[in-house]
Amino acid sequence: MPPKKRNSGAAQSKEPKPSSDKSFADKKGSPEFSLNKHTEKDVEFVTLCKSLHATDSVCERAWTLWKTVQDVMEDVDANQKRLWGSCLFVTATDMDAACFTLTEVLKAVNINVKQFVGLVRKLDVNLDTISTKVNSALMRVEKKYDVMLALYQRFEKTCKKIFASTPDKKERATMRTCWTMFLLAKGRALQMEDDLVISFQLLLCTLELFIKRSSPELLLPLYKSVVSKAQSPLTRTSRRNQSKAKSRVVESEVNVELLETLCKDNECNAEEVKNVYQTSFSAFLDLMDLSRFPDFPLVTDVSEQYQEHYLKSGDIDGRLFFDGDETVLAPKVDISQVERTPKKTSPDDDGPLIPPQTPIRAAMNSIKMLRGDLPSSGDQPSSNLAIYFKNCTVDPTQGIQKRLEMLGQVFSQKFGEAVGPHCIVYGRERFTLGVRLYYKVMEAMLESEEKRLSVQNFSKLLNDSTFHMSLLACALEVVMATYEESSFKNRGCSHGEGDQAVRDLCFPWILDVFDLSAFDFYKVIESFIKAEPTLSKDIIKHLETCENLIMEKIAWRTGSPLFELLKRENEAGATEQAEPPASFSLPLQHNHTAADLYLSPIRPGLRVLPPESPATPSSQASSQPTPQAAGQAPRQPKSNSLSLFYKKLYRLAYTRLKTLCSCLLSNHPDLEHVIWTLFQHTLQYEYDLMRDRHLDQLMMSAMYAICKVKSVDLRFKLIVSAYKNMPNTSQETFKHVLITEGQYDSIIVFYNQVFMQKLKTNILQYASTRPPTLSPIPQIPCSPYKFPNSPLRVPGSNNVYISPLKNSRLSPGMMTPRSRMLVSIGESFGFANRFQKINQMVNSGDRAHKRTLDGGSALKPLKRLRFDVDGQDEADGSKSGGESALIQKLAEMSSTRSRMQEQKMKEDAESRKKTT
């Protein structure tokens, strides 16, 4: 059944209201609802169930859930009806009972999408209240809503530039049909309806169709002139001649100039939009057969077809965006977040006013930057890279080409299966961009290795298939993240997704496509970031999150080469541990390269003395293998890749443990070190507990175990509640834990049946008078990944920052600084008064300020930002050895000014003394 009071605009268009004689439940063949079976329930609850056509079983289970929620939640009476709706949604989702759509629930309980999602999540008062299936459904709904809202906001803005207002509001009727047709096209062309970029490109295709089919009086001058240049068959066929033109497919040809105008106005790549038009959109138009509708663009059939699609999907009715319906209203945003870029200081200021970032503008800018940063050599290796190939003992060129051809076919096919029919061509586009980035980064890596080793023969590395697959996978992950197609839905967990997991490009989808182990993929991430300085902050953070996910969970899947390496190290003896505790106090070095990790253990790495051996500064710094004692068999070189993996794993594990302890054990600070010792022991000696499990599952279990033996009252429910509030967590981590092969249960069951049984002897030692020696605390370093686009603070100044310009394409008009004033050295800056303002700012002793959003003159203190300079925290007083001459000069100027001010103050003080 369609939502009540939709106000679908029958007065403004010829669309009839969707038929109400068939409900959503009726179309699904649901059994009848019996009032006699629910006499013990609240009358209003039963009435709500009946209005939503809920089945008896859904009503019964929802009422049971409501009674549970009523017992444990506070202030339930104030939101009683909304909580009823939430319970019905949760129950129907868990039971796969397609009784009603999400919009029908929202309408029935008078709540919008964002409020409803938040309310459902509040129901999770116990470990088993909200299942992973419901949580996945919520995330899909939320992502789809965010995408649809961003698309509609851009649609409204674009239409204001296209359509002219008319007395009879005919343009509104045209816009309504256009929006509805776009929703229908998106639903039929894409399986992933939350794909922002392709959806936006489809929207431009739909607008092109409606513009060229609209009468001239509906169009503003720019688009009227573009359409007037078009020749037949782009003009509408009159009704008088319609019978003679039935064989002509009037919608099949695209007005290229019109489409390019739309793309330019929306900062979208025209070639990509043309491909979308010629594939997905043309196929959709062929199915629509618009030649059947003489009154186009007022097609009455479009709304009926979308109604059918909406009822089948069972979620949000996208037509309500056009009506401004309360259920899809945009949530109120904090005023400080509305505009993330500075306003002009005054009307006299010259230079462009930078518009605030929107999801679509951010995506279009990211794509434009990615394409602009790639080499002009296309998808072939550059001449310089070809020389590296020829210098190899075994030329890898032919192997690389065959591998790319094979992987290109696999990637495009899997991409099409995930995104939608006719989308294989988009997969080829993404793959081509990925190959260009792959060649670019490979060349930068080899140049760096050549400088480091003074060699040009990289035959072993360049003939390593795993290295090439990992590098290509990383390049493609960057491309898909740029196109907003890869994210971290459910933190890499796919249980409960069903078929949806197949239609999900989120990491680690690319690893599954290439059948590439996560452990092998992790080896290339840091080198990739170092070799490609043009990566944006968001992409660097994306890759860093990929690395963390690998260490937390993905690398520990059954079949991972990590277990074979650990087994080999374990057989070598205690002195060959993956990463001895003695190394925790040493800073994490970042001087390794991809060659070191992929050829490991061919090259011996940094040797660290075993725990019982006293470490000396000279031995710690040595990079030579430890000499063998007389009579001992020669030992195999240590695995560099495993050593680095465990170094990063320990630091990640301790960081997360420290966060959790700060929330729960602030009154017992001594317990953190004890918990870490058990946690570290588990990772080092009982690493098989990590197989097909998550790092945080061992962390929570270790915390509970130590608190138990130390007689500290800390329940698992409290641990889980605090864990849910930590960043980068998923409820699946504590709700879906491997117990035995094929059997999963909650974290409590895992602790009792697995963790405690395995580590019982070790855990009880912490209650004895002679507990185990505490493990050293790992150093928590700054992130090794630099953000080259971040402003650098001028040493000696509190409010002057310099942000280097990447290249000439990035003019100030394209950048979105948070600073009060943007200066681009080397480009036209404007009048002299702007330099005077800079001087005033530098000379001022005030802290940086930011403007209020209403454009007034009132200023609020701006929190000072600290930036990482070449990996060094400025708090330690260190300076980068690579400071530019400009920064050094400004530092000298600032220092000179400070000395002059101090001298002036001294002179004034002395003169005052003489006067008195």
Side-chain angles (χ1 to χ4, degrees), residues 228-248:
S228 65
K229 297 178 185 178
Q231 299 177 352
S232 181
L234 294 178
T235 56
R236 284 194 300 167
T237 304
S238 64
R239 295 190 183 186
R240 183 182 306 171
N241 298 324
Q242 180 189 356
S243 59
K244 299 179 181 179
K246 284 186 177 180
S247 60
R248 178 187 297 168

Side-chain angles (χ1 to χ4, degrees), residues 201-376:
Q201 292 167 343
L202 275 172
L203 177 59
L204 295 182
C205 294
T206 311
L207 283 168
E208 186 272 347
L209 175 69
F210 273 73
I211 293 170
K212 71 186 180 187
R213 308 300 303 170
S214 296
S215 57
E217 65 269 13
L218 285 181
L219 302 177
L220 291 173
L222 172 62
Y223 287 93
K224 184 187 297 185
S225 64
V226 175
V227 172
S228 65
K229 297 178 185 178
Q231 299 177 352
S232 181
L234 294 178
T235 56
R236 284 194 300 167
T237 304
S238 64
R239 295 190 183 186
R240 183 182 306 171
N241 298 324
Q242 180 189 356
S243 59
K244 299 179 181 179
K246 284 186 177 180
S247 60
R248 178 187 297 168
V249 185
V250 297
E251 69 277 5
S252 62
E253 294 189 28
V254 59
N255 185 328
V256 176
E257 186 178 355
L258 174 57
L259 197 61
E260 289 177 346
T261 302
L262 279 168
C263 292
K264 182 179 180 180
D265 198 31
N266 288 276
E267 302 175 298
C268 193
N269 185 275
E271 292 302 318
E272 290 186 356
V273 179
K274 290 175 189 176
N275 284 338
V276 171
Y277 198 109
Q278 293 166 359
T279 52
S280 299
F281 195 63
S282 290
F284 164 75
L285 293 180
D286 289 343
L287 291 175
M288 289 291 293
D289 190 13
L290 297 183
S291 61
R292 297 183 295 113
F293 303 105
D295 59 344
F296 183 85
L298 300 179
V299 183
T300 58
D301 191 47
V302 173
S303 187
E304 295 175 3
Q305 292 189 48
Y306 176 73
Q307 174 78 3
E308 182 180 348
H309 168 77
Y310 148 66
L311 292 175
K312 185 177 180 181
S313 67
D315 47 39
I316 303 171
D317 186 348
R319 293 170 295 187
L320 298 182
F321 285 94
F322 192 89
D323 299 326
D325 193 274
E326 291 184 355
T327 59
V328 294
L329 283 179
K332 292 183 179 179
V333 182
D334 180 28
I335 191 169
S336 63
Q337 299 296 320
V338 173
E339 181 122 5
R340 296 189 288 168
T341 52
K343 293 189 175 184
K344 289 184 178 181
T345 306
S346 69
D348 297 331
D349 281 352
D350 60 318
L353 176 62
I354 305 169
Q357 282 284 62
T358 63
I360 291 178
R361 180 180 291 115
M364 295 303 105
N365 284 344
S366 297
I367 294 170
K368 185 176 182 179
M369 291 172 64
L370 173 67
R371 286 179 165 274
D373 288 331
L374 293 179
S376 57

Side-chain angles (χ1 to χ4, degrees), residues 381-392 395-397 446 450 456-458 462:
S382 67
S383 57
N384 190 33
L385 187 57
I387 293 175
Y388 280 113
F389 293 167
K390 292 178 181 178
N391 288 337
C392 293
D395 192 334
T397 304
L446 294 178
E450 182 181 0
Q456 292 183 335
N457 188 344
F458 299 102
L462 292 179

Side-chain angles (χ1 to χ4, degrees), residues 29 41 154 173 253 402 416 427 449 496 662 736 836 866-867 878:
K41 300 179 181 65
R154 176 55 68 97
E253 294 189 28
K402 288 184 178 180
E449 282 290 281
S662 65
H736 188 76
Q836 294 174 1
R866 291 166 53 189
F867 296 90
S878 61

